[in-house]
Amino acid sequence: MSTTATPTAKRVNYLNVSHGVKSWLLTKDHKRIAILYLISISFFFLLGGLMAVAIRVELATPAGDLVEPDTYNRLFTMHGVLMVFLFLIPGVPAVMGNFLIPIMIGAKDLAFPKLNLASWYVFNVGGLFMIWAMLNGGVDTGWTFYTPYSTTFTDTHVIATALGAFIAGFASIMTGLNFIVTIHRMRAPGMTWFRLPLFVWSHYATAIIQILGTPVVAITIVLVANERLFHIGIFDPALGGDPVLFQHLFWFYSHPAVYIMILPPMGIISEIIAAFTRKRIFGYKFVAFSSLAIAVLGFLVWGHHMFVSSQSVYAGIVFSVLTMLVAVPSAVKTFNWTATLYQGSIEWSTPMIYALGFLGLFVVGGLTGTMLATLGIDIHVHDTYFIVAHFHYIMVGGAIMAYMGGLHYWWPKMTGRMYPKFWSLISAGLVFFGFNLTFFPQFILGYMGMPRRYHAYPEEFQALNVLSSAGATILGLGYLIPIIYFVWSMRYGQRAPANPWGATGLEWQIPSPPPTFNFDETPVVTREAYDYAGIEEKRVA
């Protein structure tokens, strides 16, 4: 790939704050908007994490002696709501996608810069509704808002919280629309579909889900609010409604939403593995199309959340088979990443440690997911801590592990500064060890029959819960250390070169941090993605 050097006069990097806060709040620069999103979602992640700490402290002892049962219900509900709707779903697309997609395809910005800025404001408005609800007593329905409890039997702030999720959903739709148009219309000359980085492919597939799936959950939330306000018989059986209808509508979106959470992290892993093995991703086209396959098949498996509902056994069998099928494209990615590692020139950098950690944790999450697709096993462990462990291995062990890897990989590009390698390796080790100590015992607890969402439990479960709470302490420390050294690095870190990792891709061909408009002249792409062989041949010559 070739780029034209940017004249010194135009090399004003996007981090320049000489024009004050107003220049940030009114910016249309996709890179600045990505940083604004990073600040916002980090705040919500911190809030959700503090609630997780309170939950694990409560569960360290069998008796519910820290908070009242109702308070505990509100804690785990707000933890789930903040983490799912304000961190996991928007996280990688809003931060990494916003920052990198235009640069990776050779564009100067996203297709709709004003819409991009509007999405950040809309996202924060949704977050403010949730914060207001939390400060005024919270909500106790669980993050799924199951009816008829959410519409009839609770006096907590269901409408305000659900409205926050509804509004934040519009930000997701705006971002997805922006990505689709940008990828279709603004690729540099020579940037064919099969020269796109796999990071871009994963975000393209994610954007499809955002556009098609988010309106469904938005309509569902509106129906819940209407039933709660006006007592319309939609979901409440006492009014002639059907609560299982809510589950169908909710999970029709919320299972594809799992792939909104995990597809962009998969794109990150592809970039990191290619960079630190110095190889083109094995089976590039298969990995690219597997992202689209996940997006399509993800809309066909929602019923596996409903094996114990009034759904028919025949429907359960169909959804079981389809859930097994959706595991295939994920397995394609995993096997192809593993094949890429084979005989690669592996560099044991911090991003690579996170990528390898992702592979281990995601495989455990995926395999337990196929176990839960089996009706007999799912019925046995339904609503136990087995479920909690499974989705945390996907959402935290997978998505957040990759997110941390991506931050460490692109932090020099985003800020122009390096971070301390020693402390970054320590934090990566703490995150991996702490995560497994936190959540692996929960598989055993769930199989033994400990139900989720209970603040008290029999004494025979205490040892495993103490291990889980100890692991959460280590995991929290592992997340805290990067916050400290990332902030430190912005002032004291060594200045980063344009390409500290020796990676391919257009983002590594421009200065660190990037100029305001990325490229002075549109680059011309002349090589395949991840053409490390071409680079090595050029060096030898």
Side-chain angles (χ1 to χ4, degrees):
M1 299 179 184
S2 61
T3 60
T4 304
T6 309
T8 304
K10 295 190 178 182
R11 282 189 181 173
V12 180
N13 79 65
Y14 75 99
L15 285 175
N16 191 320
V17 295
S18 60
H19 299 296
V21 175
K22 182 179 178 181
S23 68
W24 279 78
L25 296 179
L26 298 178
T27 185
K28 295 188 287 293
D29 185 344
H30 68 99
K31 300 179 294 297
R32 282 191 166 193
I33 294 170
I35 297 299
L36 292 174
Y37 263 117
L38 175 62
I39 295 169
S40 296
I41 70 165
S42 297
F43 170 74
F44 293 122
F45 176 73
L46 178 61
L47 279 183
L50 290 174
M51 292 174 190
V53 169
I55 291 168
R56 288 315 320 171
V57 172
E58 173 63 275
L59 293 175
T61 57
D65 48 11
L66 178 66
V67 296
E68 295 297 318
D70 185 58
T71 303
Y72 184 78
N73 292 343
R74 297 170 196 237
L75 272 174
F76 72 68
T77 297
M78 292 308 300
H79 165 72
V81 166
L82 292 175
M83 286 299 198
V84 170
F85 293 109
L86 299 181
F87 178 73
L88 288 167
I89 289 177
V92 176
V95 179
M96 305 293 183
N98 252 325
F99 191 95
L100 293 164
I101 285 176
I103 306 177
M104 283 184 165
I105 66 172
K108 295 186 177 182
D109 210 313
L110 288 170
F112 307 115
K114 292 181 180 178
L115 187 68
N116 194 23
L117 178 61
S119 75
W120 177 73
Y121 278 104
V122 168
F123 170 77
N124 283 290
V125 170
L128 287 175
F129 273 90
M130 295 186 187
I131 297 298
W132 180 90
M134 182 182 69
L135 295 177
N136 286 275
V139 65
D140 64 353
T141 61
W143 74 274
T144 54
F145 303 109
Y146 266 16
T147 60
Y149 184 75
S150 62
T151 58
T152 306
F153 298 107
T154 179
D155 58 358
T156 56
H157 295 287
V158 174
I159 292 179
T161 308
L163 185 59
F166 175 82
I167 294 171
F170 278 96
S172 184
I173 294 171
M174 292 176 186
T175 300
L177 175 65
N178 228 337
F179 286 174
I180 288 174
V181 176
T182 302
I183 294 167
H184 270 276
R185 304 291 297 171
M186 299 181 68
R187 302 193 308 276
M191 180 64 79
T192 62
W193 281 96
F194 293 119
R195 286 180 176 173
L196 285 174
L198 291 168
F199 180 88
V200 178
W201 274 102
S202 68
H203 278 77
Y204 183 77
T206 302
I208 293 172
I209 302 174
Q210 290 172 308
I211 293 291
L212 298 179
T214 308
V216 177
V217 78
I219 293 168
T220 307
I221 289 171
V222 170
L223 293 176
V224 168
N226 274 284
E227 179 154 309
R228 188 169 174 84
L229 288 171
F230 306 116
H231 306 291
I232 302 170
I234 304 170
F235 304 124
D236 188 347
L239 301 172
D242 182 2
V244 178
L245 173 62
F246 173 86
Q247 294 186 39
H248 280 291
L249 292 172
F250 182 84
W251 289 115
F252 181 79
Y253 162 77
S254 293
H255 193 83
V258 172
Y259 301 117
I260 296 177
M261 302 174 202
I262 201 63
L263 273 170
M266 286 174 164
I268 291 174
I269 297 305
S270 293
E271 300 302 315
I272 292 174
I273 287 179
F276 294 107
T277 59
R278 316 296 299 168
K279 290 174 66 179
R280 179 176 168 85
I281 293 293
F282 180 83
Y284 166 93
K285 290 185 179 180
F286 282 93
V287 177
F289 281 122
S290 70
S291 294
L292 297 179
I294 288 172
V296 173
L297 292 172
F299 281 103
L300 305 178
V301 299
W302 77 91
H304 71 225
H305 294 273
M306 302 169 59
F307 287 155
V308 298
S309 71
S310 60
Q311 177 178 270
S312 74
V313 175
Y314 300 106
I317 293 171
V318 170
F319 282 119
S320 177
V321 172
L322 288 171
T323 303
M324 299 288 185
L325 184 61
V326 80
V328 173
S330 296
V332 167
K333 290 180 182 292
T334 304
F335 283 117
N336 284 26
W337 290 327
T338 306
T340 307
L341 292 171
Y342 179 67
Q343 293 189 338
S345 180
I346 298 175
E347 179 182 340
W348 299 101
S349 63
T350 303
M352 190 62 172
I353 297 299
Y354 275 109
L356 294 175
F358 168 93
L359 284 176
L361 300 180
F362 179 73
V363 166
V364 173
L367 290 175
T368 53
T370 56
M371 290 172 63
L372 293 172
T374 307
L375 277 73
I377 295 177
D378 183 84
I379 290 171
H380 172 63
V381 299
H382 185 80
D383 266 348
T384 69
Y385 263 86
F386 195 97
I387 306 297
V388 175
H390 158 68
F391 70 68
H392 278 86
Y393 263 85
I394 296 293
M395 296 180 184
V396 181
I400 300 182
M401 202 79 175
Y403 177 73
M404 294 294 290
L407 275 181
H408 285 81
Y409 182 54
W410 283 295
W411 187 260
K413 180 58 58 180
M414 295 170 74
T415 66
R417 298 282 183 170
M418 301 299 292
Y419 47 82
K421 183 176 180 180
F422 173 79
W423 284 108
S424 66
L425 290 172
I426 292 294
S427 69
L430 289 174
V431 167
F432 184 79
F433 177 74
F435 176 85
N436 281 289
L437 187 59
T438 302
F439 293 106
F440 195 83
Q442 294 179 17
F443 282 124
I444 304 172
L445 284 168
Y447 196 80
M448 291 170 64
M450 180 175 171
R452 62 194 288 197
R453 298 178 172 177
Y454 278 56
H455 84 312
Y457 53 86
E459 289 186 1
E460 58 262 32
F461 296 146
Q462 184 175 12
L464 290 170
N465 271 295
V466 168
L467 284 176
S468 189
S469 294
T473 304
I474 298 170
L475 180 61
L477 180 62
Y479 287 143
L480 180 62
I481 292 173
I483 295 174
I484 296 171
Y485 63 66
F486 277 149
V487 173
W488 175 90
S489 73
M490 293 186 69
R491 183 174 180 87
Y492 302 106
Q494 178 185 353
R495 292 193 177 276
N499 192 356
W501 314 120
T504 62
L506 291 178
E507 77 269 29
W508 302 110
Q509 313 306 315
I510 58 177
S512 300
T516 300
F517 295 107
N518 303 335
F519 307 96
D520 182 43
E521 295 182 14
T522 302
V524 177
V525 180
T526 58
R527 297 201 303 267
E528 302 298 317
Y530 317 115
D531 184 17
Y532 287 98
I535 291 178
E536 297 303 324
E537 290 172 4
K538 185 176 180 181
R539 285 178 178 174
V540 171

